[in-house]
Amino acid sequence: MSRSSLTIVLAAGEGTRMQSSLPKVLHPVAGQSLLAHVLGAAPKGANARLAVVIGPDHTAVADEVKRIRPDAENFVQRERLGTAHAVLAARDALIGGADDLLVVFGDTPLISAETFARLRAPLRSGAALAVLGFRAADPTGYGRLLVEGDRLVEIREHADATPEQRAIKLCNAGVMAFDGRKALQIIDAIGNANSKGEYYLTDAVTVVRELGWEAVVIETGEDEVRGINTKAQLAEAEAVMQARLRKAALDAGVTLIAPETVYLAADTTFGKDVTIEPFVVIGPGVSISDGAVIHSFSHIVQASIGKKASVGPYARLRPGTSLGDGARIGNFVEVKAATLEAGVKVNHLSYIGDAHVGANSNIGAGTITCNYDGFSKHKTTIGEGAFVGTNSSLVAPVKIGNGAYIGSGSVITKDVPDDALAVERSPQTNREGGAKRYRELKTKARTPKDG
């Protein structure tokens, strides 16, 4: 039977060194918040509970927790009196009990589920405490892990370390796993006899030894336990994450012609034989199917791209875009909240927003769907096999029928039937009509409602 777990994520820090009004743990790496990465790596399942300690008035952090892990409980740390004090803000969760207790930080986005599993492993063998350590290239400022054989005997802070101890490169990452049956006793025993009068979780090692129990160290790489306190450190974590994502994509068979120039999101998914050209930015919520090609200098967010579709160069796919198999989006084309079915071509200098474009339609250069009337967004529907000539404006709400043909330079304000030919080339009339419509809407918006 699997061991039960409680993971407490400490996310109450203000992050003042980030020089931002955004709570530290909500800053993004690879399109996801720091906190989202940590919550995603934390144990999941029926026997895995999750508690997050947040600061007062951090409703945005609570909302992020709910979005990522609806099963999690939020606890508020109203005073900041050290890391052990922060853990005890979730006392009610601790009282609920678990075989294993993990204490982690919400600003370590590079930590993995595998590392959490390795950290818990010694608890099955009787250890009361396992501390995550790493060998720092520059250990200055880090607490040193002092070991005797396989046992951890103390965490010595840099300021208190002797010259010999400062030469040690095995450092404290801050992440810990406790025997859940002993955790509350250990943490409650931590005192605040220090210059700041705070309760430090690092003192748990001393408490464990005084109680005659065992503490051990589990090592991981330095990159994995990078904490984020500044924008510079945020950029460093982004670089590490991007290197990981690019490697994973290459290992999965994606062709990245110049990997170092491509930016991916943590949730990007790829089919087989996908090609990504240089200088492409892929944001959250993107799926790219088999055989698709993303050409240089394209920017894609919250979009699905069908098999053998072609995007770019210099294309922008905004949220809500869905491209069918074999669709072609060319240079300087922007698509937003639109479905383009299989075989659709929008090859040049066009904007398609709030629209549905039927299979095998051709949208000529310079075409735009005029989806906004100054007050509301409206939809354009284009049928299968339609042809829209260059420099056309489709004024929504409007429907273009299957097989319809729109002449170049047209401004379409009325529905066009199937297989019809439509040519509207009276710009002055359309400008006057548009101005009249805008005045009507503006007057309506300013008229007080009855009652």
Side-chain angles (χ1 to χ4, degrees), residues 208-250:
V208 165
R209 283 181 54 79
E210 289 174 349
L211 291 171
W213 296 329
E214 183 179 14
V216 299
V217 176
I218 298 296
E219 287 192 45
T220 190
E222 184 171 5
D223 279 342
E224 191 166 359
V225 291
R226 287 175 179 267
I228 310 301
N229 292 302
T230 66
K231 290 292 178 64
Q233 291 172 344
L234 185 69
E236 291 169 359
E238 182 73 52
V240 174
M241 181 66 79
Q242 289 300 326
R244 285 185 183 180
L245 295 172
R246 292 165 188 151
K247 183 179 185 303
L250 291 165

Side-chain angles (χ1 to χ4, degrees), residues 291-364:
V293 178
I294 312 300
H295 296 281
S296 294
F297 298 102
S298 294
H299 192 287
I300 305 169
V301 178
Q302 293 178 23
S304 63
I305 299 170
K307 295 178 180 179
K308 297 186 177 179
S310 176
V311 176
Y314 294 98
R316 184 182 182 196
L317 303 186
R318 291 169 60 192
T321 295
S322 176
L323 304 184
D325 295 348
R328 298 181 64 85
I329 302 297
N331 47 283
F332 304 105
V333 172
E334 180 177 356
V335 183
K336 187 271 294 185
T339 297
L340 283 63
E341 302 288 0
V344 170
K345 297 178 182 178
V346 190
N347 279 327
H348 323 280
L349 302 158
S350 296
Y351 169 69
I352 306 297
D354 296 285
H356 186 283
V357 184
N360 300 310
S361 292
N362 185 90
I363 309 299

Side-chain angles (χ1 to χ4, degrees), residues 120-288:
R120 294 174 64 188
L123 305 180
R124 291 196 298 268
S125 304
L129 174 65
V131 173
L132 191 63
F134 68 100
R135 296 191 181 273
D138 178 6
T140 304
Y142 290 110
R144 306 306 202 276
L145 299 181
L146 309 184
V147 297
E148 293 178 358
D150 295 331
R151 295 188 176 186
L152 174 63
V153 297
E154 187 180 354
I155 300 177
R156 182 66 59 85
E157 294 303 325
H158 179 87
D160 301 325
T162 66
E164 292 78 13
Q165 290 167 343
R166 290 185 179 185
I168 296 171
K169 291 194 172 184
L170 182 59
C171 297
N172 176 35
V175 180
M176 297 184 178
F178 293 81
D179 182 326
R181 297 161 299 181
K182 302 172 180 176
L184 193 53
Q185 180 183 353
I186 295 168
I187 299 169
D188 268 336
I190 293 173
N192 66 339
N194 53 67
S195 59
K196 292 186 177 181
E198 295 186 353
Y199 301 85
Y200 297 131
L201 201 59
T202 50
D203 290 341
V205 177
T206 301
V207 172
V208 165
R209 283 181 54 79
E210 289 174 349
L211 291 171
W213 296 329
E214 183 179 14
V216 299
V217 176
I218 298 296
E219 287 192 45
T220 190
E222 184 171 5
D223 279 342
E224 191 166 359
V225 291
R226 287 175 179 267
I228 310 301
N229 292 302
T230 66
K231 290 292 178 64
Q233 291 172 344
L234 185 69
E236 291 169 359
E238 182 73 52
V240 174
M241 181 66 79
Q242 289 300 326
R244 285 185 183 180
L245 295 172
R246 292 165 188 151
K247 183 179 185 303
L250 291 165
D251 290 346
V254 178
T255 297
L256 302 178
I257 294 174
E260 69 280 3
T261 70
V262 174
Y263 284 79
L264 304 173
D267 62 351
T268 307
T269 62
F270 298 101
K272 296 180 179 179
D273 298 313
V274 170
T275 298
I276 311 291
E277 291 186 352
F279 301 104
V280 169
V281 176
I282 298 177
V286 175
S287 63
I288 305 175

Side-chain angles (χ1 to χ4, degrees), residues 88-128:
L88 290 175
R91 180 181 291 274
D92 287 348
L94 284 163
I95 291 172
D99 293 322
D100 302 338
L101 168 67
L102 281 167
V103 179
V104 305
F105 294 91
D107 65 350
T108 54
L110 301 171
I111 199 161
S112 67
E114 291 75 18
T115 293
F116 286 148
R118 289 197 303 113
L119 192 61
R120 294 174 64 188
L123 305 180
R124 291 196 298 268
S125 304

